[in-house]
Amino acid sequence: MERALKEKTEWTRRAVFDSNGKVLAMEGSLSVQDLKVHLNCQRCDASAGWFQGYLTAFNEKDTTFGNGFNIDGKNYEVHRFYEEDGLIYGRTHSVDPRDGEGFCFARAKRSTTGEWIYAIITYTFPVLSAKAVPELQDFMRQFGTTLLCSSTFLDLAAVSNQ
């Protein structure tokens, strides 16, 4: 998984972790400390673990939209939230879209154990969510995970590319 993640050079930062906070792979200018300090959930207890804010992101749509995601001190606005598909994504706010940075947070179940795994990526222009999100879904499928309803986003991506 680490080698495959390293090859995803269009993603500027990327991490895969399990529901216990064990980092399975990480690349780019991202560290556990970046994730540990900046939780997206105001009601999460930081002492419970750096990953708790991420694990609860799918619990409350309004809270996640309102707070956004904080990665390495940057706030990312949430533009799309698909709980059934295990996808949340958006961008940093900027006047010029070429100056912004996108993110995608995904969850999937491991086919063998039923355990949830999570992935978070960031990407910059010219990469957009229509490209990055389906690529992240493919990446997770490659490692024996079952996405919840992945065909929904892929259909939306096909439409947005037309």
Side-chain angles (χ1 to χ4, degrees), residues 36-51:
K36 192 181 293 182
V37 174
H38 310 290
L39 298 176
N40 71 312
C41 176
Q42 291 175 342
R43 285 180 270 175
C44 295
D45 179 4
S47 65
W50 66 267
F51 54 93

Side-chain angles (χ1 to χ4, degrees), residues 2 30 109 136 139 141-142 161:
E2 286 184 39
L30 185 65
K109 281 194 175 187
L136 179 57
F139 175 84
R141 266 190 222 98
Q142 182 181 0
N161 284 332

Side-chain angles (χ1 to χ4, degrees), residues 22-98:
K22 179 183 177 192
V23 175
L24 305 174
M26 189 176 288
E27 279 296 324
S29 61
L30 185 65
S31 71
V32 171
Q33 188 63 33
D34 297 331
L35 300 173
K36 192 181 293 182
V37 174
H38 310 290
L39 298 176
N40 71 312
C41 176
Q42 291 175 342
R43 285 180 270 175
C44 295
D45 179 4
S47 65
W50 66 267
F51 54 93
Q52 290 301 314
Y54 293 96
L55 301 186
T56 60
F58 290 102
N59 292 356
E60 294 182 34
K61 183 177 185 175
D62 290 339
T63 300
T64 300
F65 264 107
N67 292 340
F69 267 68
N70 289 294
I71 305 166
D72 195 20
K74 276 189 196 175
N75 184 263
Y76 293 77
E77 297 174 351
V78 172
H79 296 165
R80 298 288 183 264
F81 183 104
Y82 298 107
E83 181 179 359
E84 301 82 27
D85 296 333
L87 293 170
I88 300 171
Y89 57 96
R91 298 191 66 77
T92 56
H93 179 72
S94 67
V95 175
D96 187 341
R98 294 173 291 187

Side-chain angles (χ1 to χ4, degrees), residues 126-138:
V127 178
L128 301 174
S129 60
K131 180 176 181 359
V133 175
E135 284 181 352
L136 179 57
Q137 290 177 307
D138 289 343

